Amino acid sequence: MYRFHLAASTLFKLTSTWRAKCGNDSEALYVYTAFLLALAAEAVKTVGMSEEDASAEVSATLSAFSVSSMTNIPRETVRRKLKILAERGMIRQGPGSAYTLTLAREAIREFVQRATPLEMPYDWEALQ
């Protein structure tokens, strides 16, 4: 149970950091979360690769249209939030209307190692 609490605490600390960087703007945080999920998907694709084949960083590139489709936030609102996130250095604007989030693979690995193996709470399956 301690490992589960540690992982939850780590996640809440990270979320608080992201929330502060977003200026407590819930839509900007939601947009940033879309990038984190896309980045997680990219990281999972390379799990089986050797360290020599995998790059030191993982990147996810999304457009305002794709984020709008994922979040159901109107595209113009997403576009404004992307500019805010880029101004705050959380993502960077790429060519055209694309934006990219890049994180060090080692930082992702450290977070995952702290969070696993999670112990399932008593009767977790019954709650599903």
Side-chain angles (χ1 to χ4, degrees), residues 25 31 44-45 53 58 62 91 107 110 114 120 128:
D25 181 339
V31 168
V44 167
K45 287 180 188 177
D53 293 334
V58 180
L62 300 170
I91 60 175
E110 287 174 11
R114 278 185 296 200
M120 289 295 168
Q128 300 302 312

Side-chain angles (χ1 to χ4, degrees), residues 1-99:
M1 196 57 114
Y2 172 75
R3 302 275 300 156
F4 182 81
H5 175 70
L6 178 63
S9 295
T10 302
L11 185 58
F12 278 111
K13 286 177 188 173
L14 286 172
T15 304
S16 296
T17 300
W18 303 330
R19 185 173 157 238
K21 287 182 178 181
C22 290
N24 292 328
D25 181 339
S26 62
E27 286 181 329
L29 180 59
Y30 200 38
V31 168
Y32 187 67
T33 301
F35 277 88
L36 291 170
L37 291 172
L39 186 99
E42 290 300 317
V44 167
K45 287 180 188 177
T46 61
V47 166
M49 288 185 173
S50 67
E51 290 199 24
E52 293 121 20
D53 293 334
S55 66
E57 297 179 325
V58 180
S59 295
T61 301
L62 300 170
S63 66
F65 180 79
S66 61
V67 174
S68 177
S69 296
M70 291 168 69
T71 62
N72 287 325
I73 298 173
R75 188 172 58 184
E76 281 305 306
T77 302
V78 169
R79 192 179 58 73
R80 287 192 305 273
K81 302 306 176 181
L82 290 171
K83 286 186 178 187
I84 289 169
L85 293 172
E87 288 170 2
R88 295 191 176 151
M90 297 177 74
I91 60 175
R92 66 185 188 321
Q93 188 168 5
S97 62
Y99 288 82

Side-chain angles (χ1 to χ4, degrees), residues 99-127:
Y99 288 82
T100 302
L101 171 64
T102 302
L103 293 178
R105 186 175 301 279
E106 187 57 35
I108 297 168
R109 183 178 295 123
E110 287 174 11
F111 174 75
V112 170
Q113 286 173 344
R114 278 185 296 200
T116 56
L118 293 178
E119 294 176 17
M120 289 295 168
Y122 178 74
D123 279 345
W124 178 260
E125 288 81 16
L127 297 173

